[in-house]
Amino acid sequence: MTPPIRPDTDAVSSYLAKYRPRHIPSTSVQIPVLTQPTGQPQFAYRNNNPGNLRFAEQPNASPGEGGFARFRTAEEGYQALLDQVRLDQSRGFPLGAFIAKYAPPEENDTAAYVQSVAARLGTNLGTPIQHLSRFELAKAIAHYESNTVI
């Protein structure tokens, strides 16, 4: 005979065992220097911002060069990118619309961006981003934006 379930402990334990987020090891983020046509290091490198996020008063950010956010470390910049992806996942964007918002056509080759990210993730531009791993999507963005290795 199995012991009765005690709702105060057993149900919580079983729920946590099933749904607790997996531990994510600390992330090493390496943004290559890569120079701009001016010979200066790229904004992503100078701003510790692998996703080239615009400054929007993100935690641990200050206004950086080119209107982008500047972070103290590349890891903080990557965390801000993960936070942005998580926020946009909650908004229900498909991949194509998300990239068009993130990298608008007036500043980027958005079609090439979408194709690159979709190919890297093995999906298509109509896939809702909440169905994608935020970690893999953030890595794909950081790779496209700054050739960052995570």
Side-chain angles (χ1 to χ4, degrees):
M1 178 172 180
T2 58
I5 294 175
R6 295 187 0 231
D8 60 331
T9 59
D10 293 342
V12 171
S13 302
S14 65
Y15 176 85
L16 289 175
K18 187 172 182 181
Y19 296 106
R20 176 179 289 149
R22 287 176 266 138
H23 172 70
I24 297 160
S26 57
T27 304
S28 171
V29 180
Q30 298 173 347
I31 305 171
V33 175
L34 300 177
T35 58
Q36 297 180 9
T38 62
Q40 293 291 317
Q42 65 174 328
F43 286 131
Y45 178 81
R46 294 194 314 245
N47 290 326
N48 282 320
N49 185 347
N52 280 327
L53 293 166
R54 294 284 181 186
F55 178 68
E57 300 189 24
Q58 296 94 332
N60 302 316
S62 60
E65 294 180 63
F68 298 103
R70 174 175 287 147
F71 299 92
R72 294 176 295 190
T73 67
E75 288 75 19
E76 286 179 355
Y78 180 65
Q79 184 59 55
L81 175 57
L82 285 170
D83 293 344
Q84 185 63 53
V85 169
R86 183 179 336 131
L87 176 63
D88 286 330
Q89 282 179 318
S90 73
R91 295 174 172 160
F93 288 117
L95 181 61
F98 166 70
I99 297 294
K101 172 192 155 300
Y102 189 89
E106 54 274 3
E107 298 174 8
N108 300 276
D109 182 350
T110 305
Y113 200 140
V114 172
Q115 292 305 318
S116 174
V117 170
R120 189 171 176 95
L121 298 174
T123 191
N124 65 59
L125 62 105
T127 302
I129 63 171
Q130 69 262 31
H131 295 187
L132 301 172
S133 160
R134 77 179 163 113
F135 302 101
E136 294 305 314
L137 180 52
K139 279 189 206 180
I141 290 168
H143 182 266
Y144 190 86
E145 285 284 340
S146 60
N147 209 27
T148 294
V149 177
I150 300 170

